[in-house]
């Protein structure tokens, strides 16, 4: 059965259930059927060809319905958040050459000419009759190896590339999510990640295929802590899905504890390293909850490994491991690099055979992907993440893993957050290692730094000792809710360095 068929079946089974809870209003599965019907009809009339459809909107009901409607017509959707900078939007549009552009939020003046030929969907006709909805035709709908969506990577490590994920990649991911974590009937799932970030599929597809509800945060709520805490305190959430950096923000609110949120019983993280510190704080706040660390790049469809985080696990590991591979996937270590093999590996980079050939390959007749992440497998058969290979630098002739230093800094009780940056000269030679820290001291002075160094010294090789310590009140996050290392480097070194 195609994913969209399952979703439509669920919608017909639970028409009155809430599918999306936005800040201002709830939408039902019945309304989802109506919106899909209207948008797909309009698209079928107006699309120029069978190419993907550019979907420009916010994280809301209408954008979700649009993405599903696009799949119903047999096309792939490209989700682009309405707050995406102009240059990036233009770059994606030029690369995609879409068959249609659908916008679900008013377009800012600056984007008006760029998105000139657009189909606007700001509302739907809620009065559509029952029989018209049941007529939804799925014969054209995306299936098998056809592309389900194209998500552009954030570009932390270069020019953004469009990852083309097939229907079967997504089906395998959804089946895994639905069977490998806690089963919660009528699951109310947090939708924090933007649709343009593949962490969003962790919420969308498990929810829609099981009759769950998406508790969707607006942009205002994710950037304004007061609004965020207000919303969390008046919402019922069973399953929490976010980046670790996002839950760090929520842990600042004293009411983010099990006593105030007894219904919040499951946490699933992905997208960046879950630090020991964050995991410990969360376990202290929600001692009974099932907490999972999952790992994977966009190129392998959401996540491909997981581990339950418990006090025992934290006692046994100084760095939270990434666990064991999902069914259908094999993780291998080749030359210290994590290689993903199997049915989660995406089709490649959209219409970019050169970049695809650099990262994707065949192994024993299966699709395989070079993650660019360093890792190892331990005696328990558990995979461990050792940082990104491109965050390894040569300093004074020694090979140094910046994230290794970070994890040791984080093991010190007074360090809340840590990023180590390599400062390069004009010839790309590393001339300094700069530890950028958030600490529990308002005005750290020289003596404070000296003390930190003394504490750090027995934990690392002496050539790994940062040459400079910089203290910040907090770290900037990118629009995907991960620590923004590029912006941090610009803040610390100045724009031209
Ligand atoms: N549980 C985890 N622990 C540690 N690192 C993780 C975890 N989950 C994801 N990551 C890191 O995030 C990467 C995947 O991120 P994603 O696919 O969102 O793109 P990105 O790397 O942020 O963007 P770009 O590819 O443009 O640089 C992984 O390769 C890994 O480095």
């Amino acid at each position: 059965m195609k994913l969209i068929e399952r979703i439509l079946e669920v919608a017909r089974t639970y028409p009155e259930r809430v599918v999306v809870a936005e800040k201002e209003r709830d939408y039902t599965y019945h309304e989802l059927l109506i919106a899909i019907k209207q948008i797909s009809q309009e698209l079928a009339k107006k699309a120029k060809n069978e190419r993907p459809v550019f979907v420009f909107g916010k994280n809301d009901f209408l954008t979700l319905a649009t993405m599903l409607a696009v799949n119903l017509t047999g096309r792939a959707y490209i989700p682009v958040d309405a707050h995406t900078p102009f240059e990036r939007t233009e770059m994606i549009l030029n690369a995609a050459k879409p068959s249609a552009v659908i916008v679900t939020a008013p377009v800012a003046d600056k984007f008006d000419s760029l998105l000139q030929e657009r189909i606007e969907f700001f509302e739907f006709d809620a009065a559509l009759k029952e029989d018209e909805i049941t007529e939804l035709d799925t014969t054209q709908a995306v299936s098998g190896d056809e592309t389900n969506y194209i998500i552009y990577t954030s570009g932390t490590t270069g020019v953004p590339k469009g990852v083309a994920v097939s229907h079967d990649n997504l089906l395998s991911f959804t089946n895994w999510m639905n069977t490998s974590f806690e089963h919660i009937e009528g699951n109310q799932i947090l939708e924090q990640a933007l649709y343009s970030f593949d962490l969003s599929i962790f919420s969308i597809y498990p929810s829609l295929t099981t009759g769950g509800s998406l508790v969707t945060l607006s942009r205002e709520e994710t950037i304004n802590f007061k609004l965020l805490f207000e919303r969390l305190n008046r919402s019922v959430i069973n399953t929490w899905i976010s980046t670790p950096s996002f839950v760090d923000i929520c842990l600042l609110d004293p009411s983010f504890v099990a006593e105030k949120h007894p219904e919040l019983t499951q946490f699933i993280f992905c997208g960046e390293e879950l630090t020991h510190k964050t995991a410990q704080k969360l376990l202290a706040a929600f001692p009974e909850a099932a907490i999972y660390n999952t790992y994977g790049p966009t190129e392998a469809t959401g996540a491909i490994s997981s581990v339950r985080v418990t006090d025992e696990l934290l006692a046994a590991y100084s760095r939270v491991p990434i666990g064991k591979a999902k069914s259908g996937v094999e993780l291998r270590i080749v030359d210290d690099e994590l290689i993903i093999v199997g049915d989660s590996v995406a089709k490649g980079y959209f219409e970019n055979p050169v970049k695809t050939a650099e990262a994707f390959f065949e192994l024993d007749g299966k699709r395989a992907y070079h993650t660019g992440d360093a890792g190892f497998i331990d005696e328990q058969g558990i995979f461990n993440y050792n940082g990104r290979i491109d965050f390894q630098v040569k300093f004074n002739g020694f090979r140094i893993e910046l994230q290794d230093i970070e994890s040791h800094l984080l093991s010190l009780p007074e360090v809340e957050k840590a990023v180590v940056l390599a400062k390069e000269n004009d010839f790309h030679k590393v001339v300094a290692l700069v530890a950028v820290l958030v600490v529990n001291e308002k005005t750290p002075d020289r003596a404070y730094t000296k003390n930190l160094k003394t504490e750090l010294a027995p934990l690392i090789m002496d050539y790994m000792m940062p040459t400079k310590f910089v203290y910040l009140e907090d770290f900037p996050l990118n629009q995907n809710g991960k620590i923004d290392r590029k912006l941090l480097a610009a803040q610390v070194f100045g724009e031209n360095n």
Side-chain angles (χ1 to χ4, degrees):
M1 196 187 231
K2 298 178 189 179
L3 261 175
I4 190 85
E5 288 171 337
R6 255 210 247 172
I7 294 170
L8 298 180
E9 191 178 274
V10 165
R12 289 188 197 107
T13 313
Y14 306 109
E16 301 308 321
R17 273 202 195 168
V18 171
V19 64
V20 174
E22 286 182 16
K23 183 170 174 238
E24 308 295 347
R25 72 162 277 199
D26 292 348
Y27 293 85
T28 64
Y29 273 95
H30 179 72
E31 289 172 311
L32 181 69
L33 288 172
I34 297 175
I36 292 176
K37 170 97 181 180
Q38 291 177 356
I39 300 167
S40 60
Q41 277 180 338
E42 186 80 2
L43 182 62
K45 267 191 267 157
K46 296 199 174 151
K48 287 187 278 200
N49 47 50
E50 297 308 310
R51 289 180 66 81
V53 174
F54 189 91
V55 178
F56 193 73
K58 299 179 182 170
N59 262 37
D60 57 17
F61 169 78
L62 271 184
T63 312
L64 180 75
T66 302
M67 297 191 300
L68 298 173
V70 169
N71 283 161
L72 189 69
T73 70
R75 297 176 178 86
Y77 62 82
I78 304 174
V80 179
D81 188 75
H83 291 99
T84 304
F86 183 86
E87 290 69 24
R88 184 175 155 86
T89 310
E90 188 179 34
M91 190 280 305
I92 297 175
L93 201 56
N94 288 341
K97 300 181 192 63
S99 59
V101 172
I102 303 186
V103 303
T104 51
V107 166
D109 289 351
K110 195 178 174 191
F111 289 77
D112 198 47
S113 59
L114 181 66
L115 304 175
Q116 213 165 24
E117 275 184 63
R118 60 181 181 254
I119 306 171
E120 290 187 347
F121 259 105
F122 298 154
E123 56 194 36
F124 67 105
D125 177 8
L128 213 68
K129 286 192 203 69
E130 199 73 28
D131 55 337
E132 291 185 67
I133 303 165
T134 43
E135 278 165 19
L136 277 172
D137 177 9
T138 58
T139 47
Q140 301 292 318
V142 167
S143 67
D145 198 40
E146 288 167 2
T147 305
N148 203 100
Y149 62 75
I150 299 170
I151 281 189
Y152 280 78
T153 59
S154 65
T156 339
T157 49
V159 181
K161 301 172 288 255
V163 182
V165 168
S166 75
H167 169 272
D168 283 356
N169 290 147
L170 186 58
L171 184 64
S172 171
F173 170 78
T174 306
N175 288 339
W176 175 67
M177 286 289 292
N178 287 346
T179 52
S180 309
F181 299 89
E182 311 306 301
H183 176 79
I184 301 169
E185 192 49 39
N187 205 348
Q188 314 243 73
I189 306 182
L190 177 69
E191 172 63 77
Q192 170 257 328
L194 296 179
Y195 295 156
S196 51
F197 175 26
D198 91 326
L199 183 61
S200 64
I201 67 169
F202 286 66
S203 306
I204 296 175
Y205 290 94
S207 185
L208 295 182
T209 52
T210 61
S213 305
L214 292 166
V215 180
T216 299
L217 298 180
S218 66
R219 180 180 152 88
E220 294 69 39
E221 287 166 322
T222 52
I223 57 179
N224 179 326
F225 294 176
K226 190 168 166 281
L227 291 179
L228 174 66
F229 298 154
E230 264 172 28
R231 178 77 190 282
L232 294 178
N233 284 330
R234 70 177 166 84
S235 304
V236 172
I237 297 167
N238 306 120
T239 297
W240 182 280
I241 291 169
S242 78
T243 57
S245 289
F246 186 74
V247 88
D248 265 336
I249 296 171
C250 301
L251 283 163
L252 295 173
D253 182 10
S255 62
F256 193 65
V257 286
E259 298 81 65
K260 294 272 165 50
H261 297 278
E263 66 295 332
L264 183 45
T265 53
Q266 171 163 242
F267 291 82
I268 301 175
F269 296 103
C270 197
E272 62 181 353
E273 186 162 357
L274 173 65
T275 64
H276 212 271
K277 203 149 248 172
T278 300
Q280 257 172 347
K281 279 192 207 165
L282 190 62
L283 264 174
F286 293 87
E288 305 295 326
I291 300 174
Y292 294 94
N293 182 31
T294 74
Y295 159 87
T298 312
E299 288 85 343
T301 320
I304 50 82
S305 76
S306 73
V307 65
R308 177 141 181 204
V309 181
T310 57
D311 288 324
E312 294 73 43
L313 187 93
L314 294 183
Y317 290 88
S318 61
R319 212 165 159 177
V320 182
I322 56 172
K324 294 192 173 174
K326 71 182 263 292
S327 57
V329 160
E330 195 194 333
L331 258 177
R332 291 199 199 173
I333 310 284
V334 181
D335 295 335
D336 291 338
E337 185 188 11
L338 284 161
I339 303 287
I340 301 172
V341 191
D343 68 9
S344 292
V345 176
K347 295 168 70 170
Y349 298 116
F350 182 61
E351 297 182 347
N352 192 340
V354 176
K355 290 278 174 213
T356 301
E358 279 168 17
F360 294 84
F361 59 109
E362 288 260 316
L363 200 63
D364 303 337
K366 292 181 183 154
R367 298 278 300 150
Y369 173 70
H370 281 286
T371 63
D373 292 327
F376 66 93
I377 181 165
D378 60 31
E379 293 92 57
Q380 281 71 40
I382 304 227
F383 283 88
N384 291 258
Y385 170 81
N386 246 353
R388 289 202 183 200
I389 291 169
D390 53 11
F391 291 168
Q392 288 178 352
V393 298
K394 269 274 171 92
F395 183 47
N396 293 331
F398 294 102
R399 196 179 87 162
I400 293 174
E401 285 163 18
L402 299 176
Q403 288 170 291
D404 195 16
I405 311 175
E406 289 167 12
S407 76
H408 286 294
L409 277 163
L410 278 167
S411 72
L412 305 178
E414 59 272 51
V415 176
E416 292 287 330
K417 292 180 187 172
V419 163
V420 177
L421 300 171
K423 185 173 167 61
E424 295 181 355
N425 66 11
D426 291 346
F427 309 103
H428 298 292
K429 183 174 161 25
V430 176
V431 290
L433 294 180
V434 183
V436 191
L437 305 175
V438 176
V439 293
N440 63 359
E441 163 66 53
K442 283 228 155 17
T443 49
D445 55 9
R446 276 183 177 207
Y448 185 89
T449 301
K450 197 165 166 232
N451 184 45
L452 267 190
K453 282 183 162 180
T454 311
E455 286 181 294
L456 187 61
L459 306 176
I460 58 172
M461 303 298 286
D462 50 4
Y463 57 79
M464 292 162 75
M465 181 59 77
T467 37
K468 195 173 170 200
F469 287 71
V470 174
Y471 301 97
L472 297 182
E473 271 184 21
D474 209 347
F475 286 173
L477 300 187
N478 65 19
Q479 72 165 12
N480 289 348
K482 302 191 198 188
I483 292 176
D484 192 332
R485 297 178 80 104
K486 259 190 196 168
L487 190 58
L488 199 62
Q491 280 179 10
V492 173
F493 298 147
E495 294 296 337
N496 303 321
N497 225 314

